[in-house]
């Protein structure tokens, strides 16, 4: 590459950048100019390619005003209709910087590469205002997620507020009505320039009494066995940003439920469960069939191909058959099982 230098100016007009991890290539042009009043820095990146994906050009400009002990900043990248980023304003004795980022389509190849995991559809945007001072910056803004869906689930919109806390972490919080119920979340991420190994602590809570969107996702044979009621679920993501641990804990209550024939009416149903990398563990189920108490525990191994489910149930004097011809009470010790290939079946013993 070539370096051009003269009084008050140094420039590199053409520099080939090649990174192996992450896989990025680009052609750069940079310059620094200065005089008694200001220093001006310019950077242009073109022919940018990341992971084999061709990207738009980047333009960045900064000018330090020595008299005001501040600098104006302008950074722009992206294209209309595609992912974009811009930061414009002033940093220094009094910050006044606006940061905007937009992803009109989360299916964009670059976004898919960055996100990884299951394919997510929808759009996202960020609007952030940085204030305070250069050595003690603060920020506040919003994150807007629209039409977020994956795997055919009903789309969700979520608008989250965000702000810095104690100048060490970024906090996000929101409360929205969704097709699945009332959703609220609150989370904190430590800032990478404060903590070299940033951590996340996020909790999201859902309250729902309408299970129709969920019922549409499960096997038709299993739907009649899902009682109406109230579901409260809390999801947690915690730990280092690079390797967080996640789990979901839920509680369910149903005052009255009529399962498929010939079982009797169930009352006072209560259940608690935990969903994590091992599957859905039913920690407890209890209630009464025709006044006879029962209890159970089980596991749905949702990540396995056959999605096997087993629920072990015991009880005393449970009303299992209730029709015009007979009323039969039993003491069950049975397991309700399910697999994608075989469907539902029951095994065990009764007295």
């Amino acid at each position: 590459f070539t370096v051009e230098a003269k009084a008050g100016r140094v420039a590199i007009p053409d520099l080939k950048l090649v990174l192996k991890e992450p896989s990025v290539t680009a052609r750069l042009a940079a310059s620094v100019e200065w005089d008694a009043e200001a220093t001006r820095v310019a950077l242009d990146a073109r022919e940018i390619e990341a992971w084999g994906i061709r990207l738009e050009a980047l333009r960045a400009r900064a000018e330090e005003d020595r008299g005001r002990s501040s600098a104006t900043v302008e950074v722009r990248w992206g294209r209309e209709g595609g992912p974009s980023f811009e930061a414009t304003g002033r940093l220094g004795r009094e910050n006044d910087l606006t940061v905007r980022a937009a992803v009109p389509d989360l299916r964009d190849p670059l976004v898919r590469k960055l996100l990884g995991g299951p394919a997510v559809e929808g759009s996202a945007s960020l609007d952030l205002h940085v204030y305070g001072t250069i050595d003690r910056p603060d920020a506040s803004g919003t994150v807007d997620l629209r039409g977020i869906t994956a795997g055919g689930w009903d789309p969700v919109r979520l608008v989250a507020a965000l702000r810095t806390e104690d100048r060490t972490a970024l906090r996000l919080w929101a409360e929205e009505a969704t097709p699945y119920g009332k959703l609220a979340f609150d989370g904190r991420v430590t800032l990478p320039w404060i903590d070299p190994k940033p951590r996340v602590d996020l909790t999201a809570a859902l309250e729902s009494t309408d299970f129709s969107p969920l019922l549409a996702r499960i096997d038709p044979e299993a739907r009649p066995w899902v009682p109406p009621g109230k579901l409260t679920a809390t999801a947690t993501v915690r730990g280092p940003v690079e390797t967080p641990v996640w789990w979901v804990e839920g509680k369910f209550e149903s005052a009255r439920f009529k399962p498929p024939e010939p079982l009797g009416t169930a009352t006072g149903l209560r259940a608690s469960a935990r969903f994590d990398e091992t599957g859905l563990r039913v920690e407890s189920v209890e209630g009464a069939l025709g006044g006879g108490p029962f209890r159970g525990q089980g596991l749905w191994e949702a990540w396995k191909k056959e999605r096997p489910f087993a629920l072990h149930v015991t009880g005393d004097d449970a009303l299992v058959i209730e029709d015009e011809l007979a009323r039969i009470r039993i003491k069950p010790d049975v397991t309700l099982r399910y697999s994608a290939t075989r469907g539902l079946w029951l095994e065990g013993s009764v007295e």
Side-chain angles (χ1 to χ4, degrees):
F1 62 92
T2 301
V3 177
E4 299 175 350
K6 63 180 182 179
R9 188 176 189 273
V10 175
I12 301 177
D14 189 11
L15 172 65
K16 178 70 173 182
L17 174 69
V18 179
L19 300 178
K20 292 185 177 180
E21 188 59 40
S23 177
V24 176
T25 62
R27 302 201 75 89
L28 306 180
S31 66
V32 180
E33 298 180 359
W34 62 93
D35 55 30
E37 297 180 352
T39 299
R40 289 168 286 277
V41 179
L43 173 66
D44 290 288
R46 64 189 190 281
E47 299 179 19
I48 306 173
E49 192 170 290
W51 300 288
I53 304 168
R54 195 65 178 266
L55 304 179
E56 304 302 311
L58 169 75
R59 170 187 167 88
R61 299 290 186 270
E63 180 174 341
E64 179 194 15
D65 186 332
R66 296 190 180 89
R68 299 180 61 179
S69 298
S70 64
T72 57
V73 177
E74 179 185 352
V75 180
R76 299 184 188 275
W77 170 83
R79 69 182 189 278
E80 185 176 353
S84 63
F85 173 87
E86 67 175 50
T88 58
R90 183 175 294 276
L91 294 173
R93 186 180 299 169
E94 294 184 5
N95 294 336
D96 185 11
L97 183 74
T98 298
V99 178
R100 293 189 176 93
V103 182
D105 188 349
L106 292 174
R107 296 172 298 179
D108 181 89
L110 176 64
V111 178
R112 289 287 302 117
K113 179 65 179 179
L114 293 173
L115 292 179
V120 178
E121 298 181 28
S123 65
S125 64
L126 166 71
D127 195 332
L128 186 67
H129 179 224
V130 180
Y131 50 97
T133 62
I134 192 66
D135 58 334
R136 296 178 65 85
D138 277 307
S140 64
T142 58
V143 176
D144 191 350
L145 306 176
R146 295 173 179 260
I148 303 300
T149 181
W153 290 88
D154 290 348
V156 171
R157 183 186 180 189
L158 191 65
V159 179
L162 60 87
R163 73 174 181 220
T164 50
E165 285 194 340
D166 303 323
R167 297 185 171 89
T168 61
L170 186 66
R171 181 188 173 205
L172 301 90
W173 71 99
E175 186 173 306
E176 293 281 352
T178 75
Y180 310 101
K182 180 182 177 182
L183 176 64
F185 79 87
D186 198 341
R188 297 177 79 254
V189 181
T190 53
L191 299 173
W193 54 86
I194 300 296
D195 186 349
K197 296 182 178 180
R199 300 178 62 85
V200 61
D201 188 348
L202 172 65
T203 299
L206 176 70
E207 292 184 6
S208 178
T209 56
D210 179 11
F211 301 151
S212 54
L214 302 177
L215 290 174
R217 303 290 300 176
I218 66 175
D219 193 292
E221 291 187 18
R223 293 173 193 171
W225 295 92
V226 179
K230 179 181 179 180
L231 172 68
T232 302
T234 302
T236 302
V237 179
R238 185 172 296 162
V241 170
E242 294 183 353
T243 57
V245 177
W246 67 270
W247 68 91
V248 181
E249 296 177 322
K251 293 184 178 181
F252 174 77
E253 297 179 356
S254 178
R256 186 179 181 86
F257 168 56
K258 183 64 178 73
E261 299 291 347
L263 291 178
T265 300
T267 57
L269 292 178
R270 293 182 298 276
S272 62
R274 178 186 172 96
F275 189 42
D276 55 27
E277 68 277 0
T278 65
L280 176 63
R281 185 170 301 279
V282 181
E283 297 175 336
S284 69
V285 176
E286 59 183 48
L289 280 172
F294 69 89
R295 63 209 63 86
Q297 291 181 319
L299 175 65
W300 178 32
E301 298 176 272
W303 310 120
K304 292 186 176 180
K305 183 178 179 180
E306 287 292 306
R307 304 194 303 278
F309 172 75
L311 178 66
H312 182 225
V313 179
T314 60
D316 297 293
D317 201 27
L319 183 64
V320 294
I321 296 182
E322 182 181 25
D323 60 28
E324 296 179 355
L325 300 178
R327 288 170 58 86
I328 300 177
R329 292 183 179 274
I330 63 170
K331 183 178 181 180
D333 187 354
V334 298
T335 301
L336 177 67
R337 296 188 180 276
Y338 167 84
S339 73
T341 301
R342 186 173 173 182
L344 281 169
W345 76 95
L346 196 66
E347 59 184 36
S349 62
V350 296
E351 296 179 8

